[in-house]
Amino acid sequence: MKVVFATLLLVTLVLTSSLIDTTMALSIFFFGEGYCEKKCGVRCSKAGVKDRCLKYCGICCEECKCVPSGTYGNKHECPCYRDKKNNKGKPKCP
């Protein structure tokens, strides 16, 4: 009985670790390393305070996994990005 339990536990651990690796690989495939930096670079290209725009855009992109196209507006393309608010109730994402 102990051998069966130990074997089952080992198989479960191996399958779980491979599932986590697959999930991370899919995330990198779809969003790639540098995805947020590229998208936010375009989004903030005409911003008056570029450093602040890049900071908040990066935070929103990491959480929402999307950035609206263009330099302004189009927030309907990414509802999570659109709906994020700061502590004063104003839009958090540029």
Side-chain angles (χ1 to χ4, degrees), residues 55-67:
K55 175 184 174 183
Y56 288 109
C57 180
I59 291 169
C60 294
C61 178
E62 290 293 325
E63 292 177 15
C64 296
K65 303 290 188 224
C66 64
V67 176

Side-chain angles (χ1 to χ4, degrees), residues 4-88:
V4 172
F5 179 73
T7 305
L8 184 61
L9 182 63
L10 182 63
V11 168
T12 303
L13 289 173
V14 169
L15 289 175
T16 303
S17 67
S18 66
L19 179 62
I20 290 171
D21 290 341
T22 303
T23 304
M24 290 178 71
L26 286 173
S27 177
I28 290 172
F29 177 75
F30 285 113
F31 299 107
E33 292 184 31
Y35 170 82
C36 289
E37 289 84 8
K38 291 176 190 173
K39 297 291 267 184
C40 289
V42 171
R43 182 82 178 165
C44 297
S45 63
K46 295 183 179 179
V49 186
K50 198 169 195 170
D51 292 344
R52 191 176 352 173
C53 181
L54 288 170
K55 175 184 174 183
Y56 288 109
C57 180
I59 291 169
C60 294
C61 178
E62 290 293 325
E63 292 177 15
C64 296
K65 303 290 188 224
C66 64
V67 176
S69 62
T71 57
Y72 186 79
N74 300 324
K75 289 188 177 182
H76 64 278
E77 296 174 354
C78 185
C80 170
Y81 191 96
R82 175 194 65 212
D83 296 338
K84 287 213 165 296
K85 305 287 184 206
N86 64 15
N87 58 357
K88 295 180 182 177

